[in-house]
Amino acid sequence: MGDFVRVDRRQIQTAVLGSADSDEPLMLPMEAIELDAFRHHYDGDTFWCGSLLGGCGGQLTTKLYTDRVCHFAHHADPDGLPHVCGRRARGVNSADHLYVKAAAAAWLTDRGEHATFEYTRPNGVPLGSVVDVCWQHGALRVHLDQAVAPVWDDGVEPVLGTTVPVDRDTLIRRWYVHRIRLDSVGTARHVRIGTEAFARPIEWFALDECELTERGLSTPAVEKIVQARSVPRPSLWSPGKARKVPEPTARGQALLRRLVYARRIESVPLVKQVCGEIEDLAGVEGEFREQLEAAVRHAGIWLVEQDVERRKLFDNLKRAVAEQRPGRVRRLLIRVNATAAGDRTDVESAVYERAVKYFESLDDLTRDAVEAEADTEREARRAAARVRSALNRLRGYDAYTSGLRPLVEELLRSAASAGELLKGGEARRVEVWRKRVALGPQEQLHVARRYWIQRSCPRCNAEQGKHCVLVEGPSSGKPRKDGHVERLQLIVDERKAAQKTAQQQKEAGHQVGAPAGPMQPAPEACEPEVSPTRPLRERRPKVGREGQAQGAKKKIAARLHHQVPRGDWYRMVCPRCHAGPGKLCDNDDRVGPSEKRQLPHDERLRRVLQSDDRMGPGERQEGALEERQHQASQPAPANTRPPRSRRAGREPQETAGSAARAWHAEEVSCPKCQAGPNSPCTPHGPHHERVEWAKNFTRKLWG
């Protein structure tokens, strides 16, 4: 038969319209109701697994499903064999590079620019990872994934996808970087451009809000960043010109905000300029003047610290060049360009020029090794970021379960790549999870909250009605999402013990009802010849009307409280819990929310039925026999009374509910706020859990 071909079963969500070489993308709706409208809109058109999508060039058809996602599919092979397609990307984002091209072409055309596009594939990366956009006055390189690392200093402005990382030094040196994302709107993908800066969140804009300037692609956020980072030249005052000057207090508040921003971006020249403007500010007195002077003093201390760090930086750069350590030279040069790009002294400029000349003189092999080391460092930083993200998501857990397996495995892999970049506390938390993994995952028990909340927790010592709290980690003492396994295990053990006891009682009842030994016939004077004995046959269940009658009897017997009038429920002593006449039965099998049962035990109801005058002699005899068999192993009650006839009128009796109607929420205890029967829930009620509990009692009551 030859080698079997593994068929890719992933669902295809994108295609191209018209032909296999088309660049017009389509995204299929996932819902059946939307697919009908899609088919009507593109009636007469053809869909293809296009070459620009990395597909096989075959024609596609639409598949409509109501129980799963709708998708494209290849036409069936004439020979009946499965169609083999080497297309890698098949999801909703697999045609994003075509959507980017279409959106960029329309945007540049509106601005009078004619652009060319190329889907670059350096080193054989997957098609669609990089899109190059070139026009007469500029160029962009769009990185949709991490397959190709961005280059910042070759004249082409990079635009990064949301998954492409960028380091802090690049943000500081370049002031900002552009991001791109595509949002699904119906059956289309809309392009949005974002601007990311150091110590600023990403701001997103529609493509129509962006413009082309001398700096390249610009968004409204870029204008604010450039205005904040640029230091305006002081203007000369002329006595002949009168201009409005803001009030001194408002001017001082604006200077304080600029000083905070300057220190955040670690701009020494801007901090010095703002401090000089604050010292020259006049017209401010009192407490606000003291606040301004304190800000200037703290800024002066910060400037001294920055001077010390700057001297250390250039000393380290000089030492790295002397020791011929290219990797360290590269890292220090990046820091110098980011923090000391201007206002260098002659000595600092000489050290910088010597370092640049040394780095440029390296051979290609050494440069490749340095770049590989830089890639390793970047990957370590990204791994450290993933470790922090995973630890943050694991803050609400203090035990390792099978549901946390993927997250914990990712944590341990990233921690191994991060190495020494993890802080002490992070490394200790990773080690705690490593030990938990070595012990194996805990069993996940499924017990409803209304049951385990009634028990105290042996691990965190949570009281009845209180949630479990975390006992390990930085969030220890905070409420846990679920109860501890030790707390749930108490309920599971009780259920197993109850099942075992019920099974033993059932077996004991069968043994009591069975005869002690085989019956032997009496000996006769003249014993006739006995035929060979036949093998015993197993008792088969009766079929027909007799079997149906027996099934109906069992069904009716399960609802004895429907056969006995409610006024006679508590007329006699209960042979099971020995509750006296007029008293409720003890809730020994935990049916209901209180210590007393809402319905009497079946043994008590059966005794009432046997003593009822309406039963015939045969029924009473059969009921008595069943009662004796059921209570053979039970102790006889001490305060039994002889049966008596029914009375016309009786005193009001204690009750816990009626079988003639459903239970209401106010008649049961609330499992959430622990409010008792006939008491309102606090602060707002009735709670949903109380209503559901009442419904559950009603279902149990009516079988």
Side-chain angles (χ1 to χ4, degrees), residues 438-505:
L439 296 176
Q442 287 188 356
E443 181 183 0
Q444 290 181 329
L445 303 178
H446 300 283
V447 179
R449 175 186 174 275
R450 61 178 179 270
Y451 297 119
W452 60 259
I453 199 68
Q454 301 178 8
R455 298 287 188 273
S456 59
C457 182
R459 183 173 182 186
C460 63
N461 298 324
E463 299 178 355
Q464 296 182 7
K466 302 295 183 180
H467 282 277
C468 290
V469 297
L470 299 172
V471 296
E472 296 178 1
S475 302
S476 58
K478 295 184 178 180
R480 200 172 185 269
K481 295 182 179 180
D482 200 354
H484 282 110
V485 177
E486 294 82 356
R487 192 173 189 177
L488 273 60
Q489 189 65 44
L490 297 176
I491 309 298
V492 175
D493 293 342
E494 289 181 0
R495 291 178 178 176
K496 291 182 178 179
Q499 293 177 358
K500 185 177 180 181
T501 303
Q503 183 66 22
Q504 292 176 354
Q505 292 178 355

Side-chain angles (χ1 to χ4, degrees), residues 11 19 62 92 128 140 189 194 247 273 380 411 416 464 470 554 558 585 667 670 689 697:
Q11 299 172 351
S19 67
T62 57
V92 294
L140 296 174
R189 300 276 284 174
E247 297 181 359
Q273 181 192 358
L411 169 68
Q464 296 182 7
L470 299 172
K554 292 181 179 180
C585 290
E667 297 177 346
C670 181
E689 293 82 356
F697 291 154

Side-chain angles (χ1 to χ4, degrees), residues 244-530:
K244 293 183 179 180
V245 179
E247 297 181 359
T249 303
R251 172 76 175 163
Q253 293 175 350
L255 289 174
L256 283 179
R257 290 193 295 269
R258 288 186 62 192
L259 182 59
V260 171
Y261 176 73
R263 291 187 58 178
R264 182 182 300 171
I265 64 175
E266 299 180 358
S267 176
V268 174
L270 187 57
V271 171
K272 291 181 179 179
Q273 181 192 358
V274 175
C275 288
E277 294 180 6
I278 292 177
E279 292 176 350
D280 297 338
L281 183 63
V284 179
E285 302 295 340
E287 184 178 355
F288 189 62
R289 167 56 66 178
E290 296 178 357
Q291 183 179 357
L292 291 175
E293 293 176 353
V296 172
R297 285 196 302 271
H298 288 293
I301 297 174
W302 182 84
L303 288 173
V304 172
E305 295 175 352
Q306 293 299 312
D307 289 339
V308 174
E309 293 295 329
R310 182 165 178 160
R311 286 195 298 270
K312 289 182 179 179
L313 176 61
F314 281 95
D315 290 342
N316 293 334
L317 180 60
K318 182 179 179 180
R319 189 179 303 108
V321 173
E323 297 175 356
Q324 297 185 356
R325 301 172 59 182
R328 184 169 176 78
V329 170
R330 178 187 176 279
R331 292 192 296 270
L332 293 175
L333 281 176
I334 293 176
R335 289 189 57 190
V336 168
N337 291 330
T339 59
D343 195 22
R344 298 195 190 107
T345 63
D346 295 339
V347 176
E348 293 174 347
S349 298
V351 173
Y352 178 78
E353 295 296 337
R354 192 179 304 114
V356 172
K357 187 180 297 184
Y358 164 74
F359 193 78
E360 292 178 350
S361 64
L362 297 175
D363 55 0
D364 295 340
L365 186 60
T366 306
R367 284 181 176 236
D368 293 342
V370 171
E371 292 298 332
E373 181 182 357
D375 293 341
T376 303
E377 293 177 356
R378 283 193 293 269
E379 179 59 31
R381 286 194 292 269
R382 288 194 290 265
R386 291 195 299 269
V387 168
R388 297 184 184 97
S389 176
L391 289 176
N392 189 33
R393 295 167 61 185
L394 290 170
R395 292 175 68 92
Y397 301 93
D398 57 358
Y400 175 56
T401 60
S402 57
L404 297 177
R405 186 190 302 274
L407 182 58
V408 176
E409 289 179 353
E410 175 65 21
L411 169 68
L412 299 182
R413 285 195 302 267
S414 301
S417 301
E420 298 179 355
L421 294 182
L422 298 179
K423 299 179 181 179
E426 296 170 348
R428 287 192 295 270
R429 292 172 61 189
V430 170
E431 189 62 27
V432 168
W433 282 105
R434 195 187 308 277
K435 293 179 180 179
R436 292 173 181 171
V437 171
L439 296 176
Q442 287 188 356
E443 181 183 0
Q444 290 181 329
L445 303 178
H446 300 283
V447 179
R449 175 186 174 275
R450 61 178 179 270
Y451 297 119
W452 60 259
I453 199 68
Q454 301 178 8
R455 298 287 188 273
S456 59
C457 182
R459 183 173 182 186
C460 63
N461 298 324
E463 299 178 355
Q464 296 182 7
K466 302 295 183 180
H467 282 277
C468 290
V469 297
L470 299 172
V471 296
E472 296 178 1
S475 302
S476 58
K478 295 184 178 180
R480 200 172 185 269
K481 295 182 179 180
D482 200 354
H484 282 110
V485 177
E486 294 82 356
R487 192 173 189 177
L488 273 60
Q489 189 65 44
L490 297 176
I491 309 298
V492 175
D493 293 342
E494 289 181 0
R495 291 178 178 176
K496 291 182 178 179
Q499 293 177 358
K500 185 177 180 181
T501 303
Q503 183 66 22
Q504 292 176 354
Q505 292 178 355
K506 183 177 180 181
E507 294 176 355
H510 286 311
Q511 292 177 2
V512 171
M519 299 293 293
Q520 298 292 339
E524 298 181 1
C526 181
E527 185 176 1
E529 182 179 358
V530 181

